[in-house]
Amino acid sequence: MNTASRAHALTLHDREVLKITSVSEVLNFDETTVSMSVGESVLTISGDSLSVSSLSLENGEVTVCGKIDAIVYLDGAKRKKGIGRFFGA
């Protein structure tokens, strides 16, 4: 299935539960940051006490729980730079 052309959706409940669809890969996660590939973008969620409470890459669905402070997209050329920063490159 081509995830680059699929639409995705975000549903945020009370800044504590974020459901994302059309996720192709979870790139990185810890208590303060969760990063994933969504189409041609990297979606990064920042906050406190974050956890991936459900993950189904087969269905492209991820649920992140915790105190969510920011949701940021990195597109195109910025994507490579952003990923490099996550891994110390």
Side-chain angles (χ1 to χ4, degrees):
M1 192 180 294
N2 183 359
T3 58
S5 62
R6 288 191 341 203
H8 70 280
L10 304 174
T11 306
L12 179 62
H13 297 279
D14 297 325
R15 285 184 62 188
E16 293 180 354
V17 179
L18 178 64
K19 295 182 181 183
I20 307 109
T21 64
S22 297
V23 175
S24 59
E25 179 181 12
V26 175
L27 302 170
N28 179 8
F29 67 92
D30 60 31
E31 288 186 346
T32 60
T33 306
V34 179
S35 299
M36 61 196 77
S37 294
V38 178
E40 294 293 317
S41 301
V42 171
L43 178 66
T44 301
I45 297 102
S46 301
D48 190 36
S49 301
L50 298 179
S51 65
V52 176
S53 64
S54 71
L55 170 65
S56 173
L57 293 180
E58 183 176 291
N59 295 326
E61 298 173 352
V62 174
T63 302
V64 176
C65 295
K67 181 181 178 262
I68 297 168
D69 293 327
I71 301 169
V72 178
Y73 286 92
L74 296 173
D75 294 319
K78 292 180 185 177
R79 178 179 178 170
K80 291 178 185 169
K81 266 188 196 175
I83 291 173
R85 277 187 247 153
F86 291 132
F87 297 108

